């Protein structure tokens, strides 16, 4: 099948303002593609009577999930029967079984997926049917080289390294005023690992924490609760904080850390013109190359040393901050990622 930028693409997922699905929707449209969105979980009682993520977490029985998903997949197939598209692009394979993907392939529709979660065994969103559905895909776009290595060991051959990026289109509408400050900030939700690292940092530097209420409700640390702003940061507020803060800390969750070392924040903070300090990993080294020695930390002690260096070399940091931002804007936008997808299919 000959493909060009007029390709017809069906995006399957959940479309909220700052979702990956919407970032790709905007990017493909900007390239002149014909794009439609398909709200996956509007096609089943799963969405009406159950909360998908809770089911995924608490029900470990494959047979039980198959029972719940049987009607769901039948409805998906009926919906897909009416669709005339070149590509079906999934962002979620929860309760989507290989038979559904196989049906699309029989219709000569290319099937691809970019899965934000770590699908390997040992992580909260692992399910054997997801691995089987990945095998059925034409192309699996994977953000972590460590994940790719493990999947290839099990015989997967349809995998391409493909990371997150920065949504340059969406952020054009945000008007950010320069109001530089000396804040060290963390934007993200609570977990035990993040609390431990930030608690150690607070002994050396004041930190501002932005995120959901769990930072106050679940933390046992008075220092953490006092550092919590009481607010989340999305959209323009997120951009404003990243741009104006002295430093933005990005503490990866286990699935990202052990997947290769990248998450959305790795690109979003830099794209917004902020300066980043995040966990060490092979993939950010591959992406950021010589900048890696400044923006990656290997331990809490290493993080503290790097922050002290930044405090003492503010002019140097001021110089490389726009260089990093330009690197992301040039090479790591969702427009660039979408062009790559069009080329490989």
């Amino acid at each position: 099948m000959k493909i060009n930028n007029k390709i017809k693409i069906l995006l399957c997922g959940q479309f909220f303002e700052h979702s990956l699905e919407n970032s790709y929707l905007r990017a493909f449209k900007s390239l002149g593609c014909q794009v439609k969105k398909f709200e996956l979980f509007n096609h089943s009682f799963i969405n009406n009577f159950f909360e998908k993520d809770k089911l995924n977490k608490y029900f470990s029985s494959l047979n039980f999930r198959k029972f719940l998903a049987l009607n769901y997949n039948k409805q998906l197939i009926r919906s897909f029967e009416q669709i005339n598209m070149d590509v079906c692009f999934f962002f979620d394979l929860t309760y989507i079984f290989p038979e559904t993907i196989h049906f699309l392939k029989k219709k000569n529709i290319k099937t691809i997926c970019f899965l934000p979660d770590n699908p390997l065994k040992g992580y909260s969103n692992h399910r054997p049917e997801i691995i089987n559905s990945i095998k059925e895909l034409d192309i699996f776009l994977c953000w972590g080289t460590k994940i790719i290595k493990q999947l290839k060991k099990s015989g997967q051959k349809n995998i391409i390294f493909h990371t997150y990026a920065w949504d340059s289109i969406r952020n054009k509408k945000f008007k950010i005023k320069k109001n530089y400050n000396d804040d060290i900030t963390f934007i993200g939700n609570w977990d035990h690992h993040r609390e431990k690292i930030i608690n150690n940092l607070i002994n050396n530097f004041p930190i501002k924490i932005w995120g959901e209420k769990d930072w106050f409700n679940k933390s046992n640390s008075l220092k953490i609760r006092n550092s919590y702003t009481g607010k989340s940061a999305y959209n323009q507020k997120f951009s404003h904080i990243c741009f104006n803060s002295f430093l933005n800390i990005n503490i990866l969750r286990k699935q990202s850390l052990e997947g290769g070392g990248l998450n959305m924040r790795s690109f979003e903070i830099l794209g917004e013109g902020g300066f980043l300090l995040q966990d060490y990993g092979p993939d950010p080294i591959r992406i950021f190359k010589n900048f890696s020695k400044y923006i990656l930390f290997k331990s809490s002690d290493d993080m503290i040393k790097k922050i002290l260096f930044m405090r003492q070399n503010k002019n140097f940091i001021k110089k490389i901050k726009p260089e990093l931002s330009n690197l992301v804007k040039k090479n790591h936008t969702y427009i660039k990622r979408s062009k790559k997808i069009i080329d490989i299919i």
Side-chain angles (χ1 to χ4, degrees):
M1 179 172 62
K2 187 176 180 181
I3 305 259
N4 57 36
N5 69 324
K6 298 299 183 183
I7 182 173
K8 294 183 287 185
I9 302 174
L10 183 70
L11 300 181
C12 300
Q14 300 179 80
F15 295 84
F16 50 89
E17 174 61 24
H18 49 279
S19 65
L20 274 171
E21 289 90 329
N22 266 333
S23 291
Y24 276 100
L25 180 69
R26 285 184 280 266
F28 281 125
K29 281 186 174 181
S30 77
L31 295 172
C33 300
Q34 299 178 46
V35 192
K36 292 183 179 180
K37 59 182 183 179
F38 188 89
E39 299 268 4
L40 273 177
F41 293 99
N42 286 352
H43 293 265
S44 173
F45 63 88
I46 287 177
N47 192 54
N48 295 326
F49 296 101
F50 299 98
E51 207 283 310
K52 173 184 73 74
D53 293 329
K54 288 181 180 178
L55 280 173
N56 198 33
K57 181 177 180 181
Y58 294 114
F59 293 113
S60 59
S61 165
L62 173 59
N63 288 334
F64 183 70
R65 292 196 311 280
K66 272 196 170 183
F67 170 75
L68 287 176
L70 183 63
N71 185 51
Y72 176 41
N73 280 262
K74 285 180 179 178
Q75 289 188 45
L76 286 181
I77 287 172
R78 282 198 293 270
S79 298
F80 289 147
E81 283 176 345
Q82 311 303 319
I83 289 171
N84 177 27
M85 305 298 281
D86 299 314
V87 177
C88 191
F89 188 170
F90 291 95
F91 295 85
D92 193 333
L93 295 177
T94 309
Y95 305 110
I96 297 171
F97 286 90
E99 294 83 0
T100 299
I101 296 173
H102 184 67
F103 168 83
L104 291 166
K105 291 171 70 175
K106 283 178 70 176
K107 286 193 68 179
N108 263 342
I109 297 174
K110 288 280 187 181
T111 57
I112 63 175
C113 177
F114 182 71
L115 195 66
D117 295 316
N118 190 327
L120 298 177
K121 191 173 182 179
Y123 300 94
S124 61
N125 288 307
H126 165 77
R127 291 293 180 265
E129 65 268 27
I130 291 179
I131 298 295
N132 291 334
S133 292
I134 288 172
K135 289 178 182 177
E136 191 67 36
L137 293 164
D138 289 303
I139 299 167
F140 181 57
L141 304 168
C142 186
W143 51 265
T145 53
K146 290 185 178 180
I147 300 172
I148 292 173
K149 186 176 180 180
Q150 290 300 311
L151 288 174
K152 285 187 173 179
K153 277 185 180 179
S154 66
Q156 295 271 25
K157 296 180 180 179
N158 59 343
I159 311 169
I160 294 171
F161 180 63
H162 184 94
T163 67
Y164 306 100
W166 175 64
D167 191 336
S168 56
I169 300 173
R170 174 173 171 260
N171 291 61
K172 280 181 180 178
K173 65 183 181 182
F174 298 154
K175 296 179 180 179
I176 307 302
K177 294 181 180 179
K178 292 183 179 180
N179 185 22
Y180 299 119
N181 56 60
D182 209 34
D183 290 346
I184 299 173
T185 63
F186 174 80
I187 305 173
N189 291 331
W190 175 92
D191 67 22
H192 288 289
H193 171 66
R194 288 172 167 176
E195 175 173 336
K196 182 178 178 182
I197 290 177
I198 293 177
N199 209 35
N200 189 42
L201 267 182
I202 292 172
N203 291 326
N204 298 272
F205 310 100
I207 310 290
K208 283 189 176 180
I209 302 170
W210 299 80
E212 301 298 331
K213 299 290 184 182
D214 282 351
W215 282 107
F216 189 84
N217 297 331
K218 292 187 177 180
S219 175
N220 294 319
S221 167
L222 180 61
K223 291 182 292 185
I224 289 282
R225 292 199 296 270
N226 287 338
S227 299
Y228 175 50
T229 61
K231 299 176 183 177
S232 297
Y234 297 106
N235 303 323
Q236 185 163 315
K237 182 186 285 188
F238 173 83
S239 301
H240 179 85
I241 293 167
C242 290
F243 181 82
N244 286 297
S245 295
F246 172 70
L247 176 64
N248 299 270
I249 305 292
N250 183 27
I251 303 169
L252 303 182
R253 293 187 185 275
K254 181 182 177 183
Q255 72 153 10
S256 301
L257 190 61
E258 297 181 4
L262 291 169
N263 66 1
M264 293 184 189
R265 292 282 192 265
S266 305
F267 301 94
E268 291 169 344
I269 290 170
L270 296 175
E272 299 302 333
F275 196 76
L276 170 72
L277 185 59
Q278 77 154 56
D279 299 86
Y280 181 89
D283 296 345
I285 290 174
R286 178 177 177 173
I287 296 290
F288 300 117
K289 298 177 182 176
N290 291 337
F291 292 110
S292 300
K293 58 188 173 183
Y294 304 110
I295 66 174
L296 303 182
F297 65 84
K298 294 183 178 180
S299 65
S300 289
D301 288 342
D302 186 39
M303 185 195 295
I304 290 167
K305 287 178 183 177
K306 284 194 161 79
I307 294 174
L308 286 171
F309 171 82
M310 293 174 197
R311 292 287 198 203
Q312 294 163 6
N313 295 271
K314 290 187 176 182
N315 287 336
F316 173 72
I317 299 304
K318 188 176 180 180
K319 174 182 177 295
I320 66 171
K321 186 176 174 180
E323 291 177 12
L324 272 163
S325 183
N326 288 335
L327 173 69
V328 168
K329 291 174 180 177
K330 181 180 179 182
N331 300 319
H332 303 291
T333 65
Y334 284 109
I335 295 175
K336 287 281 186 179
R337 298 287 190 265
S338 299
K339 284 180 179 176
K340 175 186 171 184
I341 290 169
I342 292 169
D343 289 340
I344 62 178
I345 56 179

